[in-house]
Amino acid sequence: MATVILVRHGRTTANATGLLAGRAAGVDLDEIGRGQAALTGERLAAVPVVGVVSSPLERCLQTARFILDRQTSSPYAPVESDLTECDYGQWQGRALSDLATEKLWPVVQTQPSAVVFPGGEAMAAMQARSVAAIRRHDAAFEAEHGPGAVWVAVSHGDVIKSILADALGMHLDLFQRISVGPASVSIVNYGANRPSVHATNTEAGDLSWLSSGLRSGDAPVGGGAGGQTP
């Protein structure tokens, strides 16, 4: 199958002030976030991606633009509503410090599969629609460009954590063990037998080893020789 590079948007004005932005309009990358997104675009410049699929929210579209601007070709760049942020309902726009006093907060931390945000979305529903979107796009890119295709999905922290939890075979209740920083890169290859997670939450490092894609197959006993050929 194809390989997806999961990219979280860069830091935003809401991140910097400790607010839960949710799906609010007008939340842009701040100066630090633009620098983070530019660095991610530079890292991905060595990888000829066939597509850059983005959440419709501004911060993701801005991050996707930094990636697209460093590509030598013109990758397909659709907007995917199923990769949008979780609908936090009445929690949206509130300070994280205030939300930490809510009775629902410890449930979010320890049993997210049971969480339905007041006036908003269930975290399990967030995972279901985002994983389905990733697998749908992955199959489409593989069908059009072959199993060596590499593409990018630009989305949000909780969304990417839930996708990684699914790829790792983890219950959603364990997904808070995964960290996904602003503009970080995680890499998943959906093989015939199982997904293979090649990286999570990376903020630096050469990605040119992805330039010809990844091969799906059995997991090498002992770990194998890695993706780079001397």
Side-chain angles (χ1 to χ4, degrees), residues 27-193:
V27 178
D28 297 323
L29 301 183
D30 64 8
E31 183 177 358
I32 289 175
R34 291 191 294 272
Q36 292 168 334
L39 176 59
T40 298
E42 183 66 29
R43 292 180 70 200
L44 292 176
V47 186
V49 301
V50 298
V52 178
V53 182
S54 178
S55 155
L57 296 180
E58 290 97 329
R59 54 196 185 270
C60 288
L61 294 172
Q62 291 164 355
T63 301
R65 177 45 55 192
F66 278 100
I67 296 169
L68 288 164
D69 285 348
R70 294 293 291 120
Q71 291 290 306
T72 56
S73 62
S74 298
Y76 179 50
V79 171
E80 174 55 70
S81 60
D82 283 338
L83 292 181
T84 196
E85 180 64 285
C86 185
D87 183 354
Y88 296 114
Q90 296 171 19
W91 279 32
Q92 180 172 299
R94 294 178 58 190
L96 294 173
S97 58
D98 291 339
L99 293 173
T101 66
E102 295 280 352
K103 291 182 179 180
L104 188 61
W105 183 268
V107 186
V108 173
Q109 302 302 312
T110 61
Q111 196 182 1
S113 67
V115 170
V116 180
F117 290 101
E121 186 177 24
M123 297 194 85
M126 172 198 73
Q127 182 184 46
R129 48 109 169 149
S130 59
V131 168
I134 290 294
R135 288 179 176 266
R136 183 174 68 252
H137 283 285
D138 194 75
F141 282 124
E142 193 272 342
E144 182 173 356
H145 299 282
V150 181
W151 64 286
V152 176
V154 184
S155 190
H156 307 268
D158 280 349
V159 172
I160 293 175
K161 285 165 61 176
S162 74
I163 294 166
L164 288 171
D166 171 77
L168 289 164
M170 296 169 56
H171 195 282
L172 183 61
D173 287 346
L174 303 178
F175 99 134
Q176 300 293 21
R177 300 184 183 195
I178 302 171
S179 293
V180 175
S184 64
V185 167
S186 301
I187 303 167
V188 179
N189 177 262
Y190 289 96
N193 298 319

